[in-house]
Amino acid sequence: MDASSPAAGLLPALPEDWERCLAVAAHPDDLEYGTAAAVARWTAQGKRVTYLLATRGEAGIDALAPERAGPLREEEERAGAREVGVEDLVFLDHPDGVVHDALRLRREIALEVRRLRPEVLLTGAFDVRMVGGMVNQADHRVVGLAALDAARDAGNRWVFPEQLADGLEPWGGVRFVAVAGSPHPTHGVDVTGEPLERGVRSLEAHAEYTAGLGAAGPEPRPFLTWMARASGPALGVEAALLLDVHVLRPDGPPPWVA
């Protein structure tokens, strides 16, 4: 992967020579915890970003029954997405908290990859431990790994071949999968200034969900500002989102070709 040459000891910037991104998450609000600031940067550049949510987050508010929480959280997600320039959202209706059918999920994500033909896929960490050592939530692990696998599945016409009958040709154009929240970042995105501000507003749109968390729910502005500024030095900027990049289509010829 060719990126701008970083100074010694700094992570390289994520390449931005692409036009279409599919962002895959388990729940409404997952993308708003830092990733949305990078999305704001990209949509301001004219890039198209689509959100794909595995669940509607119906199990996320203890004081609200799922049939009430699900529609509320979907609306908050749509409002938060608009704050960073995203109008296209897809919800897959997997059960919140107990996402378990990884094969179905891979099939559905591959379908959207074939339909939307993104060059970049963005998702969340699937490690057992997230950055900072916190244990990762089960849905995050299932969805993140399924997204990585589906990005490759979408390019193989003999994987989920029934989709060909619906007119969806294979799409092997995903260059890389960028994973947020990983304890082992390889690249970063500068979100200093307006992108971070829009990212804050995106999380603020999840007011009912955040209130439902009680004391466990961080205040969006100080939390996101602290997190982005803590990540900035790794990239040599004021504020950053750090990502672990998994390359699917290397840039340039193989290293063994002269």
Side-chain angles (χ1 to χ4, degrees):
M1 168 172 290
D2 185 21
S4 57
S5 298
L10 298 180
L11 294 178
L14 187 80
E16 294 183 325
D17 56 340
W18 48 268
E19 297 299 327
R20 299 179 304 281
C21 172
L22 177 63
V24 182
H27 316 105
D29 87 286
D30 284 353
L31 293 167
E32 282 67 44
Y33 280 94
T35 303
V39 171
R41 172 187 171 98
W42 296 330
T43 58
Q45 295 172 350
K47 301 184 192 303
R48 177 185 176 184
V49 180
T50 301
Y51 282 5
L52 178 62
L53 287 301
T55 80
R56 296 178 191 267
E58 68 274 7
I61 302 177
D62 185 70
L64 285 183
E67 60 268 22
R68 292 182 57 199
L72 170 64
R73 297 201 65 198
E74 178 184 342
E75 183 51 39
E76 288 190 333
E77 179 64 6
R78 293 187 185 279
R82 284 193 293 270
E83 292 288 349
V84 294
V86 175
E87 296 290 342
D88 299 326
L89 295 88
V90 178
F91 292 85
L92 296 179
D93 287 320
H94 286 255
D96 183 19
V98 287
V99 177
H100 64 279
D101 193 342
L103 183 58
R104 171 192 157 194
L105 187 58
R106 280 172 56 190
R107 180 182 293 109
E108 291 169 336
I109 298 171
L111 185 149
E112 294 302 325
V113 171
R114 288 170 170 173
R115 182 175 71 87
L116 297 167
R117 304 171 79 82
E119 299 148 88
V120 172
L121 194 147
L122 184 66
T123 193
F126 44 85
D127 305 75
V128 173
R129 289 187 178 89
M130 297 182 69
V131 61
M134 181 181 297
V135 174
N136 202 358
Q137 199 264 356
D139 288 353
H140 298 165
R141 303 200 305 267
V142 174
V143 173
L145 188 57
L148 177 62
D149 291 338
R152 176 167 287 164
D153 294 337
N156 187 334
R157 72 173 56 252
W158 308 121
V159 176
F160 311 131
E162 70 280 2
Q163 294 175 1
L164 302 179
D166 297 327
L168 293 174
E169 287 297 311
W171 174 249
V174 177
R175 292 167 50 192
F176 56 84
V177 177
V179 178
S182 168
H184 308 293
T186 62
H187 292 71
V189 180
D190 185 354
V191 297
T192 304
E194 184 63 17
L196 178 56
E197 175 60 32
R198 293 176 67 191
V200 168
R201 295 200 301 266
S202 186
L203 182 56
E204 287 176 339
H206 292 265
E208 292 291 337
Y209 172 69
T210 302
L213 294 176
E219 190 175 347
R221 184 168 300 279
F223 175 72
L224 291 179
T225 301
W226 166 80
M227 187 167 63
R229 289 180 176 170
S231 299
L235 194 63
V237 298
E238 180 181 328
L241 170 71
L242 302 184
L243 298 162
D244 182 12
V245 173
H246 299 256
V247 177
L248 298 185
R249 292 183 60 197
D251 296 328
W256 57 85
V257 175

